Amino acid sequence: MSKFDRYAFSAQPSFDEAATRKAFSHAVPLRTLVIYCYDPRAAEIPSAVARLFRDEVFPGAIILDGSGKKVASSTTIFPIIVAGGRAIDALRSITVAQHLFGIQNIVIVHHSYCGATTFTADGIIDAYEHEHHRDISNLYQRSSICISDYEASLKHDTALIRAHDGTPSHVNIFGYFYDIDTGALIEVARDVLGE
Ligand SMILES: [Zn+2]
């Protein structure tokens, strides 16, 4: 018994996994995952995607039950915020989002003047060896570590997500370049079924 058990659905004596999943799926009308960088200058990206996709809602509102507990939300977008917006860090979150809520779109966004363009795979591997005495050369695919060419990184990440077993086959995948100064989104990659 942990002192936090009462906050975990699966720790309840009456836990019914299928019924809990069904109830959870109604709590948020999630449609779209937006993967982008943790750079504070990129924080407006999910709002920009919501405007571009028109019928999306972000950040939406938290919905309270009769006793004031936060039980749901009206958002249709979940942000996945990772270094450089590289898809490799988003794969598990895609799998879980599909399982809990079901998704229709995955939008990858890489932004202008990103920190991920300030270093190379060799540079970070060498630095770790010298500064931390750790060999990270086999920790990540080299093509997923930094960004040296935005078109290449967006196309790579679109293909990576499509090839991932946790990505349901009905999902549309988009890759956008985002200008942090103008807020403009430019489509670079698109993998939409039926197109
Ligand atoms: Zn960035």
Side-chain angles (χ1 to χ4, degrees), residues 1-8:
M1 273 284 281
S2 151
K3 64 177 174 177
F4 300 113
D5 276 356
R6 69 193 177 100
Y7 302 107

Side-chain angles (χ1 to χ4, degrees), residues 13-85:
S14 60
F15 174 60
D16 176 334
E17 183 163 347
T20 304
R21 184 184 178 204
K22 195 174 174 193
F24 232 81
S25 72
H26 296 306
V28 181
L30 180 66
R31 272 199 301 268
T32 300
L33 298 176
V34 180
I35 302 160
Y36 63 99
C37 185
Y38 55 26
D39 186 325
R41 301 170 300 164
E44 294 298 315
I45 285 175
S47 301
V49 171
R51 284 193 296 276
L52 187 72
F53 281 54
R54 288 161 194 248
D55 54 349
E56 300 285 354
V57 176
F58 185 84
I62 299 292
I63 296 163
L64 307 179
D65 71 5
S67 59
K69 282 193 160 181
K70 297 172 185 170
V71 292
S73 162
S74 63
T75 190
T76 63
I77 288 180
F78 271 8
I80 302 177
I81 308 169
V82 298

